[in-house]
Amino acid sequence: MLFAIHPKLPMRNKAVTKDYYLNKLGFKTIGSVDYEAYLMIQKDEIEIHFFEFKELDPKQNYGQVYIRVKAIDSYYQSLLDCNIVIHPNAPLEEKPWGVKEFAILDPDNNLLTFGETI
């Protein structure tokens, strides 16, 4: 029986990725070992893993994660308050499929879409 998913996304530089997710998005590192080319982070009930891909061209990266959120309006505002850049084509808005969504791009152009059922 399935009960959780932990997406794995590419990163070019572990220090940059770690700084963005921990210091800007409020995640924390997890795991008992700090692997050189791998990063595991967590916030609330979600976990995201990253693998090193130094040759990644961010313009060619199509990594994407859809994250379900509770209280999306306040989460969106908290990101704005921290000067997180919202994707220009994905500001917070109600979608025809009954979800309120917005999206951001991390330093490697991984797309993080956040959504809450209306």
Side-chain angles (χ1 to χ4, degrees):
M1 177 179 278
L2 306 178
F3 70 93
I5 187 168
H6 306 301
K8 293 166 65 172
L9 298 172
M11 66 178 172
R12 291 172 293 163
N13 181 305
K14 182 177 176 179
V16 171
T17 299
K18 187 174 182 179
D19 178 64
Y20 181 78
Y21 281 88
L22 273 58
N23 298 321
K24 296 189 187 248
L25 300 183
F27 282 75
K28 64 179 182 176
T29 56
I30 57 171
S32 58
V33 177
D34 183 18
Y35 298 101
E36 181 179 334
Y38 200 80
L39 175 64
M40 297 180 293
I41 60 170
Q42 181 177 25
K43 182 174 176 74
D44 301 325
E45 297 178 30
I46 70 159
E47 192 173 312
I48 305 173
H49 295 203
F50 296 88
F51 61 93
E52 186 178 79
F53 184 8
K54 289 184 184 263
E55 298 79 24
L56 175 70
D57 177 356
K59 294 178 182 177
Q60 298 296 318
N61 182 13
Y62 298 103
Q64 300 182 37
V65 177
Y66 192 97
I67 301 169
R68 293 285 181 182
V69 179
K70 294 179 183 172
I72 196 165
D73 292 303
S74 59
Y75 186 64
Y76 182 75
Q77 187 59 53
S78 73
L79 294 182
L80 292 176
D81 292 345
C82 292
N83 297 316
I84 301 299
V85 176
I86 304 301
H87 192 291
N89 297 325
L92 182 63
E93 63 184 7
E94 292 184 12
K95 301 294 186 178
W97 46 90
V99 176
K100 196 177 234 188
E101 293 179 347
F102 72 93
I104 62 176
L105 290 169
D106 79 2
D108 294 302
N109 257 18
N110 291 301
L111 181 70
L112 306 177
T113 303
F114 300 89
E116 179 178 30
T117 302
I118 300 171

